[in-house]
Amino acid sequence: MASSARSMAMSDLGDPFNPYIPPNETPEEKKRRIQREKEAKKHSEAIDRQLKAEKEEMEKTKSAKLLLLGSSESGKTTVLKQLKIIHGNGLEEERRQYARIVHLNVLTAMKALTSELESSGNSLDDPKNEEHLEKFQMLTTIKVTLNRNSLTVQAAIRDKKSDDDTASETFREHSESIQALWSDAAIRKCFEKASNIGLQDSAKYFLDHVERFAQPDYVPTDDDILQARVRTIGVTEHEFRIKGSDPEIFRIFDVGGHRSQRQYWAPYFDDVNAIIFMAAVSAFDQVLEEDSDVNRMRDSLQLFDTICNHPLFINTSIILFLNKIDILKKKIQKVKVKDYFEEYKGANDFQSVTKFFQRQFLAKNSNTEKHIYVHFTHATDTKQMRVIVASVNDIVQRMNLKASGLI
């Protein structure tokens, strides 16, 4: 804007550094010319000051743009929550709005377990719990409600408004039934099939704390919010200021990982400093919610291939989070990776399995010059995430220095 203003000034008022002196200039014309030159110089100096101020402001607000990509339920939103705890204003703005999300997460988990019990044809271990089971059989739209509330909670956080409390009322009406059913051996047996019935990873956490969640004055803790499952709708932008960093401002774009949401990614691909790609390494035995014929880990690998080798990202560094290692450690005690990945020939232990999946992702990269930084993460663990976020900050700073030609 200042540049165009300068051009206008030069055309209207003349160039003070190379003034045109007409031949046979009269004293009056000379006087007017000198006046114009003074005005032009004054105008130019004002523009110089404006340009300098704009440059200084740009330097002060220099930011890094990062894309947070990955399949649905890989843990992207949890990482953003951790960033708010570590480098933002914490989770206070959304704390109360998350109460109904926590309540819906509990209802969703128990609905999945009771549906599995019904479809398997098994009976409850304690006949007294039949009345509680009947109450849940009447709840038919819990997952739809959860997805709808994912949208409304984001709007509530943005607009700082509270939505209706229907979800929490439904939860409190069913809290006694949830506790009774969760203590039933038949329901616990259904829980062992968590991967097959689409049960969310944090289901046990929520079902173990029903009594606390049912208190009239319940306010979600940081751990409750970190464990809560919220489906990202559309694209959300988050800004974090990291003091002492260069750049100091990080703009992170979180996009929905559900297949139906991926069509909205492209407009955010321009001018990206780095990509954080998340994959749930524990999902090797699970299928997509939107397509039960597709293995979640294979979907993540295919998506990573597409992103990693996209023409716009050919030289863009990627920070790969292989997430949910805490769940993986427990899962491989009972489930064999080779039953889902026939190409896996190693031992069914944590180190061998994680190395295998790391190689699987790195093998997708067709550009040997591209840097891919791998982290094994437990996104709900704030202590671990502090270390990893610091590492990501260092990586982005090195990228910034490299782009500036300083290294």
Side-chain angles (χ1 to χ4, degrees):
M1 182 175 175
S3 176
S4 62
R6 181 190 291 281
S7 299
M8 188 180 296
M10 296 311 169
S11 63
D12 291 349
L13 303 173
D15 186 346
F17 305 106
N18 295 288
Y20 170 70
I21 302 175
N24 304 318
E25 184 180 39
T26 65
E28 189 61 33
E29 288 172 337
K30 182 179 180 180
K31 183 179 178 180
R32 286 197 298 269
R33 175 175 60 79
I34 292 172
Q35 183 61 32
R36 285 198 303 270
E37 290 169 4
K38 285 180 179 179
E39 291 175 5
K41 184 177 181 181
K42 183 178 179 181
H43 198 71
S44 180
E45 288 172 347
I47 293 172
D48 284 336
R49 288 193 296 273
Q50 182 182 345
L51 286 170
K52 184 179 179 181
E54 288 177 358
K55 184 178 179 182
E56 288 174 352
E57 185 63 26
M58 286 180 68
E59 287 294 321
K60 283 195 295 185
T61 59
K62 189 165 56 176
S63 64
K65 178 181 176 182
L66 280 69
L67 286 185
L68 186 56
L69 305 177
S71 298
S72 181
E73 297 190 52
S74 57
K76 301 188 302 299
T77 306
T78 306
V79 168
L80 281 170
K81 294 172 191 172
Q82 291 285 21
L83 282 167
K84 290 179 181 180
I85 292 172
I86 298 167
H87 289 297
N89 298 318
L91 302 171
E92 294 310 311
E93 286 189 5
E94 58 254 65
R95 193 172 301 282
R96 291 195 176 276
Q97 281 82 12
Y98 260 96
R100 71 180 184 279
I101 292 298
V102 168
H103 291 155
L104 278 166
N105 275 211
V106 179
L107 289 166
T108 303
M110 186 51 70
K111 180 62 180 177
L113 291 169
T114 54
S115 294
E116 170 59 22
L117 181 75
E118 189 177 8
S119 63
S120 65
N122 294 322
S123 301
L124 289 167
D125 188 61
D126 186 349
K128 292 180 182 178
N129 289 329
E130 286 294 337
E131 61 178 301
H132 299 302
L133 180 62
E134 289 175 8
K135 287 185 73 172
F136 262 89
Q137 288 172 334
M138 296 175 67
L139 291 176
T140 58
T141 59
I142 291 299
K143 183 163 282 190
V144 173
T145 305
L146 176 60
N147 288 339
R148 186 172 65 248
N149 271 261
S150 297
L151 178 60
T152 59
V153 78
Q154 289 178 62
I157 293 165
R158 183 191 65 228
D159 301 331
K160 295 182 174 58
K161 295 178 181 176
S162 293
D163 209 335
D164 67 85
D165 205 30
T166 306
S168 292
E169 288 175 8
T170 303
F171 165 78
R172 291 192 177 97
E173 288 170 5
H174 291 75
S175 61
E176 184 182 343
S177 296
I178 295 167
Q179 292 178 77
L181 290 168
W182 183 230
S183 65
D184 194 287
I187 290 292
R188 291 282 182 160
K189 191 174 181 179
C190 290
F191 177 75
E192 293 175 6
K193 302 177 182 178
S195 295
N196 298 328
I197 63 176
L199 203 62
Q200 65 191 66
D201 296 321
S202 54
K204 186 177 185 302
Y205 174 89
F206 288 117
L207 291 167
D208 283 345
H209 292 87
V210 172
E211 186 175 356
R212 176 167 63 86
F213 300 153
Q215 296 301 312
D217 58 350
Y218 167 66
V219 176
T221 65
D222 282 1
D223 282 343
D224 295 344
I225 296 174
L226 288 170
Q227 295 285 350
R229 167 79 177 104
V230 180
R231 177 179 168 185
T232 303
I233 308 295
V235 180
T236 59
E237 179 181 356
H238 306 265
E239 188 174 289
F240 300 95
R241 186 179 293 273
I242 303 177
K243 293 181 180 179
S245 174
D246 183 20
E248 191 171 281
I249 295 175
F250 284 66
R251 294 166 60 229
I252 300 180
F253 293 82
D254 176 27
V255 296
H258 196 279
R259 279 187 166 182
S260 64
Q261 295 288 309
R262 296 176 192 175
Q263 60 183 309
Y264 302 113
W265 292 11
Y268 298 88
F269 283 2
D270 290 337
D271 198 26
V272 174
N273 297 93
I275 294 168
I276 298 175
F277 188 94
M278 298 198 64
V281 73
S282 62
F284 67 86
D285 64 335
Q286 296 173 269
V287 296
L288 294 178
E289 179 185 346
E290 58 268 41
D291 189 342
S292 59
D293 292 328
V294 179
N295 177 280
R296 282 193 181 183
M297 181 58 79
R298 293 195 186 278
D299 178 68
S300 289
L301 285 162
Q302 183 180 357
L303 182 58
F304 184 78
D305 188 347
T306 302
I307 295 298
C308 190
N309 300 302
H310 193 285
L312 287 175
F313 298 147
I314 202 66
N315 294 312
T316 303
S317 295
I318 295 179
I319 303 163
L320 173 62
F321 282 9
L322 294 179
N323 193 33
K324 303 191 179 183
I325 57 172
D326 54 318
I327 299 168
L328 176 69
K329 288 176 181 176
K330 295 175 182 177
K331 184 173 285 188
I332 57 177
Q333 294 175 13
K334 300 178 181 178
V335 184
K336 292 182 179 180
V337 173
K338 66 180 181 181
D339 289 344
Y340 298 87
F341 282 76
E342 62 278 359
E343 61 268 43
Y344 181 63
K345 307 300 180 185
N348 208 61
D349 59 66
F350 180 75
Q351 188 172 10
S352 302
V353 169
T354 50
K355 282 186 176 179
F356 167 73
F357 284 121
Q358 179 176 341
R359 289 194 300 270
Q360 290 284 303
F361 277 94
L362 294 180
K364 299 296 182 184
N365 178 28
S366 62
N367 179 11
T368 56
E369 300 296 316
K370 181 194 291 288
H371 290 287
I372 299 177
Y373 304 88
V374 183
H375 293 280
F376 293 98
T377 58
H378 175 184
T380 55
D381 183 341
T382 302
K383 186 176 180 181
Q384 191 223 27
M385 288 305 300
R386 282 186 187 278
V387 176
I388 290 173
V389 168
S391 176
V392 169
N393 184 26
D394 289 340
I395 291 167
V396 173
Q397 288 193 64
R398 284 202 300 273
M399 293 175 188
N400 190 45
L401 290 171
K402 187 176 180 180
S404 303
L406 297 176
I407 60 171

